[in-house]
Amino acid sequence: MNKTSQVPTREEIMQYNSVPIEVAAKYIGISDKRLRFAMQDERVPFGFVSINYDAKTYSGNAYTYNISPGLLVAYKEGTLPTSSMAGALNILIDAIRDLVKDGKTIPFFEKQEV
């Protein structure tokens, strides 16, 4: 992909093994700084961040960003589910609390006779 200010195409994104943060940010229309913070806060479903504790920089830890081209494209196209594991866990916990509050039992958790 050329280094112009042009928005990368789907085909260009799919050529990467891991999309560079600057390219991914341009593709989805946000600043690379905003994307870095979102990834560090685990708020995006198309990649992850690794912290290299041995490589301190002048501003703190050195981060390595891994952005999946397929997941990034799906995110932009609106076909990638965006619920997090934490969100799903909270839904499950709330459902269990409601059952307990109503005096109901959960068959899976009942003591099984041998």
Side-chain angles (χ1 to χ4, degrees), residues 46-103:
F46 48 76
F48 65 89
V49 179
S50 299
I51 301 172
N52 184 351
Y53 292 105
D54 295 331
K56 297 284 187 181
T57 65
Y58 61 90
S59 62
N61 293 317
Y63 295 94
T64 301
Y65 301 89
N66 186 297
I67 300 174
S68 165
L71 293 176
L72 181 64
V73 167
Y75 175 82
K76 182 173 180 177
E77 292 176 354
T79 59
L80 180 67
T82 57
S83 62
S84 67
M85 182 63 79
L89 183 59
N90 286 334
I91 290 169
L92 180 60
I93 290 169
D94 289 343
I96 291 170
R97 285 184 179 146
D98 288 343
L99 287 171
V100 170
K101 181 177 69 178
D102 294 339

